[in-house]
Amino acid sequence: MFFHLFPRLRHLAVAVVGLAAGASAAPAASYDLVVYGGTPAGLAAGITAAREGASVVVIEPTKWIGGMVTGGLSSTDLGKQECIGGFPREYFKRAAAIKSETPLWYAEPQANMAAFQAMLKEAGVKVVTEQSLKALEKKSGRITSLTTADGQVYQGRVFVDATYEGDLLAASGVSHTLGRESKAQYGEPLAGIHPMPVRPHGADVMGVACKCVGGTGPHYIHGTPCKINARGDDGKLLFGVTELKGKPGDADKLTQAYNFRVCVTQRPDIRVPFPKPEGYEPARYELLLRLIQSYSEVAFGRLVHLGQIGHGKVDLNAQGFFSTDYPGGNVGYLEGDAATRERIAKDHVNYVQGLLYFLGNDSRVPQKLRDETNTWGLCKDEFTDNGHWPYALYVREGRRMISDYVMTQRDVQREIFKPDTVGMGSFVIDCHIVQRIVAEDGTVTDEGSFQDAPAKPYQIPYRSIVPKKAECDNLLVPVCLSASHIATCSLRMEPVYMALGQASGLSAAMAVKGNVAVQDVSVPALQAKLREQKAVLDLPNLVLGPASDQLAGVVVDDAHAEFTGSWVSSGYGAPVDDASHNDADSGKGEKTARFVAQLPAAGRYEVRFAYSSAPNRAASVPVEITHAGGVAKVWVDERKPGVHDKVFVSLGTFDFAANQPASVQVSNAWTRGFVSVDAVQWLPVK
């Protein structure tokens, strides 16, 4: 049934210089711009360049164009909407206008496809589908042509690699990497192998009463909610669980999990039952079953994420510990040949379809959950030429170029301003599960995912979308740009890719007109044209909070606080060291945050407390200061902003003894509204 399903199959062993052998005798086709990859970034580049008068061809290896936006990802990941302008905002407005009462950013896949098709036609962009890269010719540091599987040669003055995988940049010999850097390589706290702790929570996590270790807390997108034995009755590891290789912070070649974003509905008039996949294997879902059995009445909407889009349709995505993500299933995909990629794509189809079929049909699944699952189904009017299944495998992370500037964790949290900005990002650092591993106690936990790593709105430099000039001077890379794994986890959103596609298209047109290398395009002129086209390159009131290592005295940030209960990290406001925590206005009386400092000498210190103020904060937050004379208690009105360094309030001045820890503990007992904690500062008083 899914005879044209397998996305983005490419021949990777073809790379190089001068490999035009096997091309047909058909005359070469010449264009100002050749775009490889009909993703949203590629289409944005092509349309933008064509509007500037360039001749453009977009070559897409699969049957369909539009990548994830037309292939199932309809509940658009936005970050801060004010960071999105120019081509992506124009496009999403166009898609929403195709059907009445469609919310901006959340059009149906068919509307997204129609919008792209109309914009391509209006701009006069030639589109070639079902043709993968066969050979590439490069001379004197420039790509001169590429040959597709049918033997057609496409000559170009500038090329754009808009693939999710980075196939053209790899074939062109441009420096790149894949997988995860070590924590030491760029000094990124989140980098490398990153086991997640088991986070025992109760009803608020799964929406039900929990048989696991108790407690209450907010719903968590990632993380293990309870202890589950990693082995079956035979002593062997359950399907999908592996032994950890390496230690926390180490580099490896693994990427976050792929899946399918499935368009589903409860509308009886268009609902199609979830299919039973070929070669269905219930044993693949034993870990899911054990998770379900740990809760009394888990809901379907806690096992998958249901993002509402237009007209009674929903974008079904992964969330939580066991969902439609397939950790480890993508190993070998990026470097694999066409057959390998096809096999991995098929395996992902079977895995995701099997999970939905399992939830609706396995007799061990509670009847209530089975019945709820079966109120959902595929949409009869979507992907009608593909069995109603989405086109695109969600390649969340591919190769990454290594250029003159590599964006890292600092660039999305603190070093956010760039003189050569050509776009903005703002999404949290969102990494899905990389692998499921056995913990020391024999239970299973996920590894590689983050749930509380905020990002500030940040500028993306032109230097990160162009290669090193000595390696290639006529290539632009808006998707697999020069960024670390951690930075990519925030950058990897379709509106960001489209904004960088727009910048790439304009730069290509300017390089052609000026007959210059893409590295020599005038960035101020490029920025001026982008602003003319309403692209967002900066935000007028964007500010950073202070860095703890630049403040006087002794400062303990919330990153080093001792928490009890479930606190949520946030980048709201201008916090110290990029983030603060809050109690999610839940679990009142159950949560504390304790800040402990080793003071350099005994003496008298003023103690200051930082938090992110807002109207919905608690008006009377209890804070205890442990000092040489005992314990002092004060109440802080977090609705009011701090006065010192714009974030701190004074808790008072106290004496502290030598060799005794100084501490401040914040509680959410008896509070109404959100309780925020950011940092505590001890300032010596003379």
Side-chain angles (χ1 to χ4, degrees), residues 247-263:
K247 60 183 185 299
D250 283 354
D252 63 17
K253 295 300 183 183
L254 302 179
T255 66
Q256 57 185 306
Y258 300 170
N259 74 340
F260 280 89
R261 297 286 287 259
V262 188
C263 189

Side-chain angles (χ1 to χ4, degrees), residues 141-142 174 401 403-404 462-463 465-476 507 511 516-523:
R142 295 179 65 83
V174 167
M401 181 169 64
S403 188
D404 289 329
Y462 182 66
R463 289 163 289 168
I465 66 170
V466 294
K468 298 173 183 178
K469 188 176 182 181
E471 294 183 346
C472 189
D473 67 7
N474 67 336
L475 176 66
L476 294 133
S507 175
V516 296
V518 294
Q519 292 86 356
D520 295 332
V521 166
S522 168
V523 172

Side-chain angles (χ1 to χ4, degrees), residues 622-676:
V623 182
E624 293 183 348
I625 305 98
T626 300
H627 54 91
V631 178
K633 191 168 187 177
V634 299
W635 284 262
V636 175
D637 184 351
E638 293 195 345
R639 298 171 302 176
K640 298 178 180 179
V643 294
H644 303 288
D645 295 306
K646 298 183 180 180
V647 291
F648 287 93
V649 295
S650 180
L651 302 177
T653 302
F654 308 92
D655 291 317
F656 292 88
N659 302 318
Q660 291 185 0
S663 69
V664 171
Q665 180 167 291
V666 182
S667 170
N668 73 342
W670 309 294
T671 59
R672 286 185 173 181
F674 286 78
V675 173
S676 170

Side-chain angles (χ1 to χ4, degrees), residues 366-588:
Q367 187 66 50
K368 182 178 180 181
L369 177 55
R370 278 185 278 159
D371 291 343
E372 183 186 5
T373 300
N374 289 325
T375 66
W376 294 91
L378 304 179
C379 298
K380 183 171 62 176
D381 59 343
E382 296 287 355
F383 314 113
T384 55
D385 54 351
N386 201 46
H388 314 295
W389 192 256
Y391 301 138
L393 177 66
Y394 195 176
V395 178
R396 287 192 172 92
E397 185 176 359
R399 298 179 180 87
R400 300 187 304 281
M401 181 169 64
I402 301 174
S403 188
D404 289 329
Y405 193 89
V406 179
M407 294 188 69
T408 67
Q409 185 174 341
R410 291 187 298 275
D411 293 284
V412 303
Q413 290 184 323
R414 176 145 295 273
E415 297 175 8
I416 60 175
F417 300 106
K418 298 292 182 295
D420 56 340
T421 173
V422 289
M424 293 195 72
S426 63
F427 206 78
V428 296
I429 302 174
D430 180 24
C431 188
H432 285 237
I433 300 170
V434 175
Q435 55 186 335
R436 293 196 179 98
I437 59 172
V438 185
E440 291 182 358
D441 62 359
T443 61
V444 63
T445 187
D446 61 18
E447 186 278 313
S449 59
F450 313 122
Q451 66 185 31
D452 52 2
K456 298 287 289 185
Y458 54 88
Q459 296 175 329
I460 303 168
Y462 182 66
R463 289 163 289 168
S464 285
I465 66 170
V466 294
K468 298 173 183 178
K469 188 176 182 181
E471 294 183 346
C472 189
D473 67 7
N474 67 336
L475 176 66
L476 294 133
V477 185
V479 177
C480 296
L481 65 153
S482 183
S484 70
H485 161 73
I486 298 302
T488 296
C489 290
S490 173
L491 285 161
R492 61 176 188 85
M493 304 302 154
E494 297 296 339
V496 175
Y497 288 157
M498 294 167 77
L500 298 181
Q502 179 182 10
S504 296
L506 271 178
S507 175
M510 293 171 67
V512 168
K513 290 178 182 178
N515 195 28
V516 296
V518 294
Q519 292 86 356
D520 295 332
V521 166
S522 168
V523 172
L526 173 61
Q527 291 172 326
K529 291 189 74 69
L530 284 167
R531 288 190 172 98
E532 286 176 10
Q533 296 180 4
K534 300 182 179 179
V536 176
L537 307 187
D538 48 43
L539 295 180
N541 298 314
L542 186 59
V543 295
L544 280 175
S548 59
D549 60 3
Q550 297 175 355
L551 295 170
V554 176
V555 179
V556 178
D557 184 58
D558 61 308
H560 305 291
E562 302 168 2
F563 291 98
T564 60
S566 302
W567 294 72
V568 178
S569 183
S570 170
Y572 173 79
V576 175
D577 286 353
D578 314 315
S580 62
H581 275 76
N582 67 73
D583 73 340
D585 197 16
S586 66
K588 296 300 185 180

